Amino acid sequence: MTDDLRTYGSPLRYADGTSLTIETLDGLVRLTTHDADGQIEGGIMLAPDEAQRVAQAMLEAAFGVQG
Protein backbone atom coordinates (compact mmCIF):
# COMPACT_ATOMS: atom_id res chain seq x y z
CA MET A 1 0.00 0.00 0.00
CA THR A 2 1.03 3.56 -0.55
CA ASP A 3 0.09 6.75 1.20
CA ASP A 4 0.49 8.82 -2.00
CA LEU A 5 -2.70 10.42 -3.29
CA ARG A 6 -3.30 9.54 -6.94
CA THR A 7 -6.07 10.95 -9.15
CA TYR A 8 -7.56 8.95 -12.02
CA GLY A 9 -8.98 10.52 -15.16
CA SER A 10 -10.15 14.10 -15.49
CA PRO A 11 -12.47 15.60 -12.89
CA LEU A 12 -16.17 15.58 -13.74
CA ARG A 13 -17.09 19.27 -13.78
CA TYR A 14 -20.59 20.59 -13.15
CA ALA A 15 -22.21 23.83 -14.36
CA ASP A 16 -21.87 25.46 -10.92
CA GLY A 17 -18.09 24.92 -10.91
CA THR A 18 -18.03 21.98 -8.50
CA SER A 19 -16.25 18.80 -9.51
CA LEU A 20 -15.97 15.13 -8.66
CA THR A 21 -12.62 13.34 -8.66
CA ILE A 22 -11.70 9.67 -8.38
CA GLU A 23 -8.61 9.17 -6.24
CA THR A 24 -6.79 6.48 -4.31
CA LEU A 25 -5.07 6.83 -0.97
CA ASP A 26 -3.94 4.16 1.49
CA GLY A 27 -5.46 1.40 -0.65
CA LEU A 28 -8.93 2.98 -0.71
CA VAL A 29 -10.83 4.52 -3.61
CA ARG A 30 -12.12 8.01 -2.87
CA LEU A 31 -14.92 9.83 -4.67
CA THR A 32 -14.30 13.43 -3.65
CA THR A 33 -16.43 16.51 -4.33
CA HIS A 34 -14.65 19.85 -4.65
CA ASP A 35 -16.22 23.32 -4.64
CA ALA A 36 -15.61 25.82 -7.46
CA ASP A 37 -12.40 26.96 -5.73
CA GLY A 38 -11.02 23.41 -5.54
CA GLN A 39 -11.61 22.95 -1.82
CA ILE A 40 -12.87 19.54 -0.68
CA GLU A 41 -16.58 19.59 0.20
CA GLY A 42 -17.03 15.92 0.97
CA GLY A 43 -16.87 12.44 -0.42
CA ILE A 44 -16.83 8.75 0.30
CA MET A 45 -14.11 6.12 0.61
CA LEU A 46 -14.56 2.61 -0.74
CA ALA A 47 -12.57 -0.58 -0.37
CA PRO A 48 -11.45 -1.95 -3.76
CA ASP A 49 -14.18 -4.63 -3.84
CA GLU A 50 -16.86 -2.04 -3.01
CA ALA A 51 -15.52 0.27 -5.74
CA GLN A 52 -15.73 -2.59 -8.23
CA ARG A 53 -19.39 -3.25 -7.31
CA VAL A 54 -20.23 0.47 -7.65
CA ALA A 55 -18.48 0.65 -11.03
CA GLN A 56 -20.33 -2.45 -12.26
CA ALA A 57 -23.68 -1.03 -11.12
CA MET A 58 -22.94 2.27 -12.89
CA LEU A 59 -22.13 0.44 -16.14
CA GLU A 60 -25.31 -1.59 -15.87
CA ALA A 61 -27.35 1.57 -15.27
CA ALA A 62 -25.68 3.47 -18.10
CA PHE A 63 -26.27 0.74 -20.66
CA GLY A 64 -29.46 -0.80 -19.27
CA VAL A 65 -27.87 -4.23 -18.87
CA GLN A 66 -28.04 -6.54 -15.86
CA GLY A 67 -24.73 -8.25 -15.11
Side-chain angles (χ1 to χ4, degrees):
M1 262 188 244
T2 179
D3 58 359
D4 294 332
L5 180 67
R6 182 169 176 191
T7 301
Y8 291 83
S10 298
L12 300 172
R13 299 208 183 274
Y14 302 104
D16 64 358
T18 59
S19 63
L20 177 70
T21 58
I22 300 170
E23 307 162 339
T24 57
L25 181 66
D26 294 332
L28 297 173
V29 177
R30 300 176 1 156
L31 303 177
T32 307
T33 304
H34 301 265
D35 66 16
D37 295 322
Q39 300 299 311
I40 294 176
E41 287 189 331
I44 62 171
M45 290 201 271
L46 303 165
D49 62 323
E50 295 169 323
Q52 183 178 6
R53 287 197 316 266
V54 169
Q56 183 64 42
M58 291 176 74
L59 285 169
E60 290 173 6
F63 296 102
V65 178
Q66 290 291 144

